[in-house]
Amino acid sequence: MTILNASINFDNKLYKADIEASLSHAEMLANQNIIKRNDFEKIKKGLLQVKKEFEKNKIIFKNELEDIHTHIETRLIEIIGSTGKKLHTARSRNDQVATATKIWAREECKEIDSLLKRLQKSLLSKAENHINDLMPGFTHLQPAQPILLSHHLLAYVNMFGRDRENYSSLKRHNFSPLGSAALAGTTFNINREETANKLGFNGIMRNSLDAVSDRDFILDILNLCSLIFIHLSRLSEEIILWSSAGFNFITISDKYSTGSSIMPQKKNPDAAELIRGKSGRIIGNYVSLFNIMKGLPLAYSKDMQEDKEPLFDSIETTKLCLLAMVGMIDSIKFIPKNMRSMCSLGFLNATDMADWFVKELNMNFRDAHKLTGNIVKLAELKNIPLEKLSLKELKKYNHKISNKIYDALDIEKTIQNKISEGGTSPSNVKREIVLAKDKWLK
């Protein structure tokens, strides 16, 4: 039972947050004349010594002390004697745990946001370097329409931007549970606003039952990590595809790839594959805590101890993989000629032909779509691109077709003509890069 109860092997990383909260709590107790000022000074000195001992790895963890909070209090009492026992006045381990976890997670999520910003910066830098390079855009993993590589990269800038907006929404949880005690509050005349302010919270949680039993803030963090990993996994999948011989769009640095143990010619995109693989674990952490919380009555239950491992794992893994992706993007070498070459496959300008029929021949789009499909069949039969069909051949399908159609079918011009807002034209993409820098990198 001792080992089952113990959480010290994973919650020890909360020591700084717990000591920070304890210092604020003790000072508030002194300010409210609940403990003597001299007692607070002793507690403060003792807690700072405990902090140094943790930093120097001098604390020996014991399962019988269960968690980090008990370890700190026990060591404090060893250092300053019975005065240390006054620290727990007007608080419970329930509100103590919730407070320390919130403080720790808040700081960790700041690092995640910083890494997301670095990744956006890397993607924007690559987009600027390849502002006019063409590549095939895909639907169903089939070449569909030509786009700019820079436009493709900006899609991920937007995805990670939404992740950063999700991070910003976590501020709604930045309210302090400290002082809620076990579940009902306390008989002592404490000042919860004081400790909330000192600890960087925006205020206090106003219901003591909710304060000690709320884990919505962790669920939202796990949701954030899951969405980040969905985006990382999609980008990783494209890196894996683009580095394969069938695509040959990019070269991955040796730092982020490995060779085969048996095939000397192989260069495997291991970093991208590991990021893609870890996404399942992070999403699993999210689902795990949802299942833990869904049936719990108010207020605290020991089940909630199971919130820590998913939280710690998701945050640490998210930071690690974001850092790896930044390095991978920075080091990737794109091969524009191969991307441009694939644009000649699959009749990527067929939609532009249909659009030309609508504009120039005054056809409705459904009829234009059908006509284009018939012309594509001829090009497939002759094994040539649409723009290589002769005007004579095209006129057999509609005598009104003129030489102007060849301008519409030119790959570069199909890109330039995508002028709708948010489209892939160079003018749009240049403007979006400026807007993205202004929004995300300041």
Side-chain angles (χ1 to χ4, degrees):
M1 184 63 184
T2 299
I3 296 175
L4 180 62
N5 256 332
S7 59
I8 185 59
N9 289 325
F10 52 85
D11 71 11
N12 59 76
K13 58 170 46 51
L14 296 177
Y15 80 89
K16 286 183 181 178
D18 185 79
I19 290 172
E20 181 183 357
S22 293
L23 286 168
S24 295
H25 180 70
E27 185 173 11
M28 179 275 296
L29 292 177
N31 290 340
Q32 295 296 110
N33 295 315
I34 297 171
I35 66 172
K36 295 179 180 178
R37 177 64 54 180
N38 186 53
D39 290 336
F40 163 63
E41 295 298 336
K42 288 181 181 179
I43 290 171
K44 178 179 179 180
K45 185 177 179 180
L47 284 173
L48 293 176
Q49 181 177 329
V50 174
K51 183 180 179 182
K52 287 181 181 179
E53 290 178 3
F54 268 101
E55 290 170 347
K56 295 179 179 179
N57 296 314
K58 290 185 176 181
I59 301 292
I60 299 173
F61 299 138
K62 300 175 182 178
N63 285 331
E64 57 267 27
L65 295 180
E66 291 189 14
D67 58 28
I68 187 61
H69 317 286
T70 307
H71 275 75
I72 290 171
E73 185 175 350
T74 300
R75 181 60 185 139
L76 175 66
I77 294 169
E78 289 174 351
I79 294 170
I80 67 172
S82 61
T83 301
K85 297 179 181 180
K86 296 183 179 182
L87 175 61
H88 208 57
T89 305
R91 75 173 184 185
S92 162
R93 190 158 52 171
N94 292 352
D95 61 332
Q96 183 181 359
V97 169
T99 303
T101 305
K102 273 195 169 184
I103 293 170
W104 180 86
R106 183 179 65 200
E107 298 308 308
E108 292 293 312
C109 287
K110 286 180 183 177
E111 290 188 37
I112 288 175
D113 182 63
S114 177
L115 287 167
L116 285 168
K117 183 177 181 179
R118 284 179 61 185
L119 181 51
Q120 287 181 302
K121 185 176 181 181
S122 296
L123 289 163
L124 282 165
S125 177
K126 289 293 182 183
E128 283 188 302
N129 291 338
H130 296 277
I131 190 72
N132 293 313
D133 289 329
L134 275 61
M135 68 173 290
F138 297 87
T139 60
H140 309 277
L141 201 54
Q142 305 297 315
Q145 290 183 283
I147 60 173
L148 293 175
L149 169 57
S150 50
H151 189 60
H152 192 108
L153 295 172
L154 281 173
Y156 285 102
V157 173
N158 288 336
M159 288 186 207
F160 294 120
R162 290 193 295 275
D163 293 331
R164 293 186 66 193
E165 289 171 339
N166 287 337
Y167 159 73
S168 295
S169 73
L170 293 177
K171 293 174 183 176
R172 68 193 180 96
H173 294 295
N174 193 35
F175 291 87
S176 174
L178 190 59
S180 298
L183 77 161
T186 177
T187 59
F188 292 96
N189 182 31
I190 60 174
N191 186 340
R192 294 188 61 207
E193 292 287 355
E194 178 186 331
T195 52
N197 184 59
K198 286 177 180 175
L199 294 172
F201 290 108
N202 296 333
I204 63 169
M205 296 187 73
R206 305 206 65 84
N207 183 286
S208 57
L209 285 165
D210 181 43
V212 299
S213 63
D214 168 51
R215 294 300 182 269
D216 290 357
F217 71 99
I218 297 181
L219 285 168
D220 277 356
I221 291 170
L222 295 181
N223 177 61
L224 168 65
C225 293
S226 296
L227 285 169
I228 289 171
F229 259 92
I230 287 173
H231 299 149
L232 285 175
S233 185
R234 295 183 74 178
L235 180 53
S236 294
E237 174 68 7
E238 298 211 282
I239 289 171
I240 293 162
L241 288 171
W242 292 350
S243 66
S244 68
F247 283 80
N248 198 24
F249 284 0
I250 61 172
T251 300
I252 300 177
S253 166
D254 289 346
K255 187 177 179 180
Y256 299 97
S257 59
T258 59
S260 165
S261 63
I262 189 172
M263 295 170 283
Q265 84 284 5
K266 291 290 294 299
K267 187 175 181 180
N268 301 321
D270 283 8
E273 290 175 343
L274 285 167
I275 292 172
R276 182 180 62 180
K278 289 179 187 295
S279 62
R281 192 172 92 214
I282 302 307
I283 294 168
N285 287 340
Y286 184 34
V287 174
S288 174
L289 187 58
F290 253 120
N291 281 321
I292 289 167
M293 295 302 299
K294 67 177 177 59
L296 296 184
L298 293 176
Y300 181 82
S301 297
K302 191 68 170 180
D303 311 49
M304 292 184 191
Q305 182 171 292
E306 292 298 304
D307 64 352
K308 304 297 184 304
E309 289 176 287
L311 175 65
F312 297 157
D313 178 53
S314 290
I315 285 182
E316 292 302 318
T317 305
T318 300
K319 291 195 303 182
L320 173 66
C321 291
L322 281 171
L323 191 59
M325 184 59 79
V326 169
M328 195 154 38
I329 294 298
D330 283 343
S331 64
I332 278 177
K333 303 295 183 185
F334 287 95
I335 310 174
K337 67 177 182 178
N338 291 347
M339 291 184 160
R340 176 66 177 79
S341 179
M342 190 180 281
C343 288
S344 65
L345 305 176
F347 309 106
L348 305 195
N349 50 2
T351 304
D352 297 273
M353 174 178 275
D355 287 346
W356 188 87
F357 290 153
V358 171
K359 293 176 182 177
E360 300 297 327
L361 304 188
N362 199 29
M363 296 178 67
N364 66 69
F365 186 78
R366 284 300 170 200
D367 288 342
H369 182 279
K370 183 177 180 180
L371 175 58
T372 302
N374 290 331
I375 295 173
V376 166
K377 289 178 183 178
L378 174 64
E380 284 179 330
L381 186 65
K382 295 173 70 77
N383 195 28
I384 58 174
L386 290 173
E387 61 271 23
K388 294 299 182 181
L389 290 171
S390 68
L391 183 60
K392 182 179 179 181
E393 288 171 316
L394 292 174
K395 281 183 173 290
K396 290 180 181 179
Y397 292 89
N398 188 305
H399 70 278
K400 295 181 180 179
I401 297 174
S402 70
N403 274 321
K404 292 180 180 178
I405 196 170
Y406 293 109
D407 281 338
L409 296 179
D410 179 83
I411 293 295
E412 277 74 16
K413 288 184 179 178
T414 66
I415 297 281
Q416 294 168 8
N417 291 337
K418 299 300 188 296
I419 56 174
S420 60
E421 196 164 2
T424 191
S425 71
S427 58
N428 277 347
V429 173
K430 289 174 183 177
R431 181 173 65 251
E432 290 303 317
I433 288 175
V434 172
L435 291 172
K437 282 183 171 183
D438 184 61
K439 182 175 184 178
W440 299 118
L441 300 188
K442 285 190 174 180

